[in-house]
Amino acid sequence: GTRSLIGARTFALAEEAIEVRPMELIQRHQNDPGREEVYELIARKDQLTEPQRARRDLYWKGVVFYREQLLDKALATFHEAREKYGSDGAVDFYIRRIEQLQRGVPSLDWGTSRL
């Protein structure tokens, strides 16, 4: 449900000129324990309308709750974003993922997968 994704380095280089929202933390290489954040590029700096900014900020708040494993708060925040601003591929992804986690579906552990 996103159009343009950028990595942390691109974001760092262009931060002064763009608006983004976080998408996911990814592991670039199987043997690298570090993770890199991937962002959705959403607009040029200062080009978001107030409703777009509020939508992005509410989404970001949900991502923070999700990463802190505060799943009930994250789910409520993503539902609020969907109710206020409509359906969104990324919001819908997080709602589905949290509901899976709450039902006991394990998280993906790419580091243990065999290629």
Side-chain angles (χ1 to χ4, degrees), residues 26-55:
I26 62 167
Q27 184 174 350
R28 293 180 60 87
H29 305 286
Q30 185 174 1
N31 296 329
D32 181 359
R35 298 193 184 268
E36 178 180 341
E37 186 149 38
V38 176
Y39 301 91
E40 179 184 20
L41 178 61
I42 55 177
R44 291 178 188 228
K45 193 65 144 187
D46 301 324
Q47 296 296 310
L48 293 177
T49 65
E50 189 51 42
Q52 289 171 324
R53 183 176 310 284
R55 178 183 188 151

mmCIF file of all heavy atoms in Angstrom, residues 26-55:
data_model
loop_
_atom_site.group_PDB
_atom_site.id
_atom_site.type_symbol
_atom_site.label_atom_id
_atom_site.label_comp_id
_atom_site.label_asym_id
_atom_site.label_seq_id
_atom_site.Cartn_x
_atom_site.Cartn_y
_atom_site.Cartn_z
ATOM 1 N N ILE A 26 14.178 -3.398 9.009
ATOM 2 C CA ILE A 26 14.573 -4.579 8.251
ATOM 3 C C ILE A 26 16.004 -4.967 8.588
ATOM 4 O O ILE A 26 16.816 -4.128 8.970
ATOM 5 C CB ILE A 26 14.429 -4.381 6.728
ATOM 6 C CG1 ILE A 26 15.355 -3.256 6.238
ATOM 7 C CG2 ILE A 26 12.991 -4.119 6.348
ATOM 8 C CD1 ILE A 26 15.505 -3.209 4.744
ATOM 9 N N GLN A 27 16.284 -6.228 8.417
ATOM 10 C CA GLN A 27 17.640 -6.741 8.573
ATOM 11 C C GLN A 27 18.189 -6.893 7.162
ATOM 12 O O GLN A 27 17.679 -7.656 6.362
ATOM 13 C CB GLN A 27 17.610 -8.089 9.288
ATOM 14 C CG GLN A 27 18.965 -8.648 9.579
ATOM 15 C CD GLN A 27 18.879 -9.921 10.418
ATOM 16 O OE1 GLN A 27 17.829 -10.280 10.930
ATOM 17 N NE2 GLN A 27 19.994 -10.587 10.556
ATOM 18 N N ARG A 28 19.223 -6.124 6.844
ATOM 19 C CA ARG A 28 19.741 -6.092 5.475
ATOM 20 C C ARG A 28 20.442 -7.386 5.082
ATOM 21 O O ARG A 28 20.355 -7.806 3.942
ATOM 22 C CB ARG A 28 20.684 -4.916 5.296
ATOM 23 C CG ARG A 28 19.951 -3.581 5.388
ATOM 24 C CD ARG A 28 20.867 -2.407 5.222
ATOM 25 N NE ARG A 28 21.564 -2.383 3.965
ATOM 26 C CZ ARG A 28 21.106 -1.841 2.830
ATOM 27 N NH1 ARG A 28 19.919 -1.300 2.809
ATOM 28 N NH2 ARG A 28 21.843 -1.846 1.742
ATOM 29 N N HIS A 29 21.151 -8.011 5.997
ATOM 30 C CA HIS A 29 21.899 -9.223 5.709
ATOM 31 C C HIS A 29 21.669 -10.227 6.828
ATOM 32 O O HIS A 29 21.565 -9.855 7.999
ATOM 33 C CB HIS A 29 23.398 -8.933 5.583
ATOM 34 C CG HIS A 29 23.712 -7.878 4.579
ATOM 35 N ND1 HIS A 29 23.648 -8.102 3.223
ATOM 36 C CD2 HIS A 29 24.070 -6.588 4.725
ATOM 37 C CE1 HIS A 29 23.964 -6.985 2.580
ATOM 38 N NE2 HIS A 29 24.222 -6.050 3.471
ATOM 39 N N GLN A 30 21.639 -11.486 6.476
ATOM 40 C CA GLN A 30 21.343 -12.544 7.447
ATOM 41 C C GLN A 30 22.310 -12.528 8.624
ATOM 42 O O GLN A 30 21.916 -12.748 9.757
ATOM 43 C CB GLN A 30 21.376 -13.901 6.758
ATOM 44 C CG GLN A 30 20.966 -15.038 7.669
ATOM 45 C CD GLN A 30 20.874 -16.358 6.933
ATOM 46 O OE1 GLN A 30 21.131 -16.443 5.754
ATOM 47 N NE2 GLN A 30 20.503 -17.391 7.656
ATOM 48 N N ASN A 31 23.586 -12.248 8.382
ATOM 49 C CA ASN A 31 24.581 -12.285 9.451
ATOM 50 C C ASN A 31 24.773 -10.942 10.147
ATOM 51 O O ASN A 31 25.656 -10.815 10.983
ATOM 52 C CB ASN A 31 25.915 -12.790 8.899
ATOM 53 C CG ASN A 31 25.809 -14.223 8.409
ATOM 54 O OD1 ASN A 31 25.032 -15.006 8.949
ATOM 55 N ND2 ASN A 31 26.562 -14.555 7.386
ATOM 56 N N ASP A 32 23.988 -9.955 9.806
ATOM 57 C CA ASP A 32 24.087 -8.626 10.401
ATOM 58 C C ASP A 32 22.966 -8.472 11.422
ATOM 59 O O ASP A 32 21.796 -8.443 11.059
ATOM 60 C CB ASP A 32 23.968 -7.563 9.312
ATOM 61 C CG ASP A 32 24.086 -6.146 9.850
ATOM 62 O OD1 ASP A 32 24.244 -5.969 11.077
ATOM 63 O OD2 ASP A 32 24.005 -5.204 9.052
ATOM 64 N N PRO A 33 23.293 -8.380 12.721
ATOM 65 C CA PRO A 33 22.243 -8.288 13.733
ATOM 66 C C PRO A 33 21.525 -6.932 13.750
ATOM 67 O O PRO A 33 20.457 -6.800 14.318
ATOM 68 C CB PRO A 33 22.993 -8.522 15.047
ATOM 69 C CG PRO A 33 24.377 -8.044 14.762
ATOM 70 C CD PRO A 33 24.633 -8.364 13.308
ATOM 71 N N GLY A 34 22.105 -5.923 13.124
ATOM 72 C CA GLY A 34 21.501 -4.602 13.117
ATOM 73 C C GLY A 34 20.298 -4.527 12.198
ATOM 74 O O GLY A 34 20.127 -5.321 11.286
ATOM 75 N N ARG A 35 19.461 -3.576 12.465
ATOM 76 C CA ARG A 35 18.271 -3.360 11.627
ATOM 77 C C ARG A 35 18.291 -1.924 11.104
ATOM 78 O O ARG A 35 18.809 -1.030 11.758
ATOM 79 C CB ARG A 35 17.003 -3.616 12.415
ATOM 80 C CG ARG A 35 16.921 -5.055 12.898
ATOM 81 C CD ARG A 35 15.540 -5.380 13.400
ATOM 82 N NE ARG A 35 15.484 -6.711 13.949
ATOM 83 C CZ ARG A 35 15.159 -7.795 13.255
ATOM 84 N NH1 ARG A 35 14.871 -7.687 11.980
ATOM 85 N NH2 ARG A 35 15.109 -8.971 13.827
ATOM 86 N N GLU A 36 17.713 -1.750 9.936
ATOM 87 C CA GLU A 36 17.638 -0.433 9.316
ATOM 88 C C GLU A 36 16.174 -0.069 9.112
ATOM 89 O O GLU A 36 15.379 -0.900 8.682
ATOM 90 C CB GLU A 36 18.342 -0.438 7.962
ATOM 91 C CG GLU A 36 18.260 0.891 7.250
ATOM 92 C CD GLU A 36 18.959 0.893 5.909
ATOM 93 O OE1 GLU A 36 19.809 0.024 5.654
ATOM 94 O OE2 GLU A 36 18.652 1.791 5.113
ATOM 95 N N GLU A 37 15.850 1.160 9.409
ATOM 96 C CA GLU A 37 14.485 1.604 9.217
ATOM 97 C C GLU A 37 14.253 1.957 7.759
ATOM 98 O O GLU A 37 15.105 2.544 7.101
ATOM 99 C CB GLU A 37 14.181 2.819 10.097
ATOM 100 C CG GLU A 37 12.729 3.229 10.047
ATOM 101 C CD GLU A 37 12.258 3.854 11.338
ATOM 102 O OE1 GLU A 37 13.030 4.605 11.964
ATOM 103 O OE2 GLU A 37 11.123 3.579 11.716
ATOM 104 N N VAL A 38 13.080 1.570 7.274
ATOM 105 C CA VAL A 38 12.646 1.918 5.934
ATOM 106 C C VAL A 38 11.485 2.900 6.093
ATOM 107 O O VAL A 38 10.627 2.725 6.952
ATOM 108 C CB VAL A 38 12.193 0.665 5.152
ATOM 109 C CG1 VAL A 38 11.637 1.030 3.794
ATOM 110 C CG2 VAL A 38 13.348 -0.308 5.023
ATOM 111 N N TYR A 39 11.480 3.926 5.252
ATOM 112 C CA TYR A 39 10.472 4.982 5.326
ATOM 113 C C TYR A 39 9.687 5.068 4.030
ATOM 114 O O TYR A 39 10.210 4.784 2.954
ATOM 115 C CB TYR A 39 11.144 6.345 5.548
ATOM 116 C CG TYR A 39 11.967 6.438 6.795
ATOM 117 C CD1 TYR A 39 13.317 6.121 6.773
ATOM 118 C CD2 TYR A 39 11.403 6.842 7.996
ATOM 119 C CE1 TYR A 39 14.097 6.206 7.913
ATOM 120 C CE2 TYR A 39 12.177 6.931 9.145
ATOM 121 C CZ TYR A 39 13.515 6.612 9.093
ATOM 122 O OH TYR A 39 14.280 6.690 10.221
ATOM 123 N N GLU A 40 8.457 5.519 4.150
ATOM 124 C CA GLU A 40 7.672 5.867 2.971
ATOM 125 C C GLU A 40 7.845 7.361 2.730
ATOM 126 O O GLU A 40 7.627 8.175 3.634
ATOM 127 C CB GLU A 40 6.190 5.558 3.178
ATOM 128 C CG GLU A 40 5.355 5.945 1.966
ATOM 129 C CD GLU A 40 3.871 5.737 2.158
ATOM 130 O OE1 GLU A 40 3.414 5.646 3.320
ATOM 131 O OE2 GLU A 40 3.167 5.683 1.153
ATOM 132 N N LEU A 41 8.231 7.702 1.538
ATOM 133 C CA LEU A 41 8.342 9.103 1.125
ATOM 134 C C LEU A 41 6.936 9.598 0.829
ATOM 135 O O LEU A 41 6.243 9.031 -0.017
ATOM 136 C CB LEU A 41 9.228 9.200 -0.112
ATOM 137 C CG LEU A 41 9.437 10.570 -0.720
ATOM 138 C CD1 LEU A 41 10.117 11.503 0.271
ATOM 139 C CD2 LEU A 41 10.264 10.450 -1.993
ATOM 140 N N ILE A 42 6.485 10.644 1.536
ATOM 141 C CA ILE A 42 5.090 11.075 1.352
ATOM 142 C C ILE A 42 4.924 12.480 0.794
ATOM 143 O O ILE A 42 3.889 12.783 0.223
ATOM 144 C CB ILE A 42 4.262 10.913 2.647
ATOM 145 C CG1 ILE A 42 4.903 11.630 3.825
ATOM 146 C CG2 ILE A 42 4.056 9.449 2.965
ATOM 147 C CD1 ILE A 42 4.086 11.557 5.105
ATOM 148 N N ALA A 43 5.924 13.345 0.940
ATOM 149 C CA ALA A 43 5.777 14.702 0.401
ATOM 150 C C ALA A 43 7.092 15.457 0.522
ATOM 151 O O ALA A 43 8.014 15.031 1.217
ATOM 152 C CB ALA A 43 4.685 15.468 1.157
ATOM 153 N N ARG A 44 7.136 16.588 -0.151
ATOM 154 C CA ARG A 44 8.239 17.518 0.073
ATOM 155 C C ARG A 44 8.038 18.171 1.433
ATOM 156 O O ARG A 44 6.921 18.263 1.937
ATOM 157 C CB ARG A 44 8.262 18.595 -1.004
ATOM 158 C CG ARG A 44 8.647 18.087 -2.353
ATOM 159 C CD ARG A 44 8.584 19.224 -3.352
ATOM 160 N NE ARG A 44 8.766 18.688 -4.677
ATOM 161 C CZ ARG A 44 9.587 19.199 -5.557
ATOM 162 N NH1 ARG A 44 10.279 20.281 -5.272
ATOM 163 N NH2 ARG A 44 9.717 18.652 -6.745
ATOM 164 N N LYS A 45 9.124 18.632 2.021
ATOM 165 C CA LYS A 45 9.068 19.278 3.338
ATOM 166 C C LYS A 45 8.058 20.416 3.319
ATOM 167 O O LYS A 45 7.991 21.190 2.359
ATOM 168 C CB LYS A 45 10.457 19.794 3.708
ATOM 169 C CG LYS A 45 10.589 20.193 5.151
ATOM 170 C CD LYS A 45 10.429 18.973 6.021
ATOM 171 C CE LYS A 45 11.313 19.009 7.223
ATOM 172 N NZ LYS A 45 11.260 17.769 7.954
ATOM 173 N N ASP A 46 7.266 20.479 4.351
ATOM 174 C CA ASP A 46 6.275 21.540 4.558
ATOM 175 C C ASP A 46 5.178 21.566 3.502
ATOM 176 O O ASP A 46 4.524 22.590 3.321
ATOM 177 C CB ASP A 46 6.958 22.914 4.662
ATOM 178 C CG ASP A 46 7.945 22.975 5.802
ATOM 179 O OD1 ASP A 46 7.680 22.355 6.859
ATOM 180 O OD2 ASP A 46 8.991 23.624 5.645
ATOM 181 N N GLN A 47 4.948 20.455 2.802
ATOM 182 C CA GLN A 47 3.885 20.384 1.805
ATOM 183 C C GLN A 47 2.670 19.586 2.290
ATOM 184 O O GLN A 47 1.679 19.495 1.576
ATOM 185 C CB GLN A 47 4.408 19.779 0.497
ATOM 186 C CG GLN A 47 5.461 20.610 -0.184
ATOM 187 C CD GLN A 47 4.942 21.962 -0.628
ATOM 188 O OE1 GLN A 47 3.903 22.053 -1.273
ATOM 189 N NE2 GLN A 47 5.650 23.015 -0.266
ATOM 190 N N LEU A 48 2.749 19.035 3.484
ATOM 191 C CA LEU A 48 1.611 18.297 4.014
ATOM 192 C C LEU A 48 0.544 19.264 4.508
ATOM 193 O O LEU A 48 0.852 20.271 5.152
ATOM 194 C CB LEU A 48 2.037 17.406 5.185
ATOM 195 C CG LEU A 48 2.957 16.230 4.881
ATOM 196 C CD1 LEU A 48 3.313 15.513 6.177
ATOM 197 C CD2 LEU A 48 2.312 15.279 3.910
ATOM 198 N N THR A 49 -0.702 18.935 4.233
ATOM 199 C CA THR A 49 -1.797 19.698 4.819
ATOM 200 C C THR A 49 -1.889 19.317 6.294
ATOM 201 O O THR A 49 -1.313 18.311 6.731
ATOM 202 C CB THR A 49 -3.134 19.371 4.122
ATOM 203 O OG1 THR A 49 -3.449 17.990 4.376
ATOM 204 C CG2 THR A 49 -3.061 19.640 2.624
ATOM 205 N N GLU A 50 -2.619 20.070 7.058
ATOM 206 C CA GLU A 50 -2.760 19.747 8.482
ATOM 207 C C GLU A 50 -3.386 18.367 8.688
ATOM 208 O O GLU A 50 -2.891 17.594 9.517
ATOM 209 C CB GLU A 50 -3.546 20.829 9.224
ATOM 210 C CG GLU A 50 -3.537 20.643 10.728
ATOM 211 C CD GLU A 50 -2.139 20.458 11.325
ATOM 212 O OE1 GLU A 50 -1.195 21.162 10.926
ATOM 213 O OE2 GLU A 50 -1.986 19.581 12.212
ATOM 214 N N PRO A 51 -4.448 17.990 7.942
ATOM 215 C CA PRO A 51 -4.971 16.621 8.111
ATOM 216 C C PRO A 51 -3.948 15.538 7.725
ATOM 217 O O PRO A 51 -3.876 14.500 8.384
ATOM 218 C CB PRO A 51 -6.179 16.576 7.174
ATOM 219 C CG PRO A 51 -6.599 17.996 7.039
ATOM 220 C CD PRO A 51 -5.330 18.796 7.101
ATOM 221 N N GLN A 52 -3.153 15.761 6.692
ATOM 222 C CA GLN A 52 -2.120 14.795 6.306
ATOM 223 C C GLN A 52 -1.056 14.673 7.390
ATOM 224 O O GLN A 52 -0.598 13.569 7.692
ATOM 225 C CB GLN A 52 -1.468 15.201 4.985
ATOM 226 C CG GLN A 52 -2.365 15.041 3.784
ATOM 227 C CD GLN A 52 -1.758 15.663 2.538
ATOM 228 O OE1 GLN A 52 -1.095 16.710 2.592
ATOM 229 N NE2 GLN A 52 -2.002 15.032 1.396
ATOM 230 N N ARG A 53 -0.684 15.795 7.978
ATOM 231 C CA ARG A 53 0.309 15.780 9.051
ATOM 232 C C ARG A 53 -0.246 15.045 10.273
ATOM 233 O O ARG A 53 0.440 14.220 10.884
ATOM 234 C CB ARG A 53 0.716 17.202 9.426
ATOM 235 C CG ARG A 53 1.812 17.277 10.482
ATOM 236 C CD ARG A 53 2.251 18.705 10.767
ATOM 237 N NE ARG A 53 2.553 19.459 9.570
ATOM 238 C CZ ARG A 53 3.670 19.330 8.824
ATOM 239 N NH1 ARG A 53 4.569 18.450 9.176
ATOM 240 N NH2 ARG A 53 3.857 20.061 7.758
ATOM 241 N N ALA A 54 -1.498 15.324 10.617
ATOM 242 C CA ALA A 54 -2.121 14.659 11.768
ATOM 243 C C ALA A 54 -2.227 13.152 11.525
ATOM 244 O O ALA A 54 -1.974 12.355 12.437
ATOM 245 C CB ALA A 54 -3.496 15.265 12.036
ATOM 246 N N ARG A 55 -2.560 12.769 10.298
ATOM 247 C CA ARG A 55 -2.643 11.349 9.946
ATOM 248 C C ARG A 55 -1.272 10.682 10.094
ATOM 249 O O ARG A 55 -1.142 9.608 10.673
ATOM 250 C CB ARG A 55 -3.147 11.202 8.516
ATOM 251 C CG ARG A 55 -3.221 9.782 8.044
ATOM 252 C CD ARG A 55 -3.656 9.713 6.594
ATOM 253 N NE ARG A 55 -3.896 8.343 6.221
ATOM 254 C CZ ARG A 55 -4.755 7.959 5.312
ATOM 255 N NH1 ARG A 55 -5.473 8.843 4.659
ATOM 256 N NH2 ARG A 55 -4.901 6.692 5.027
#
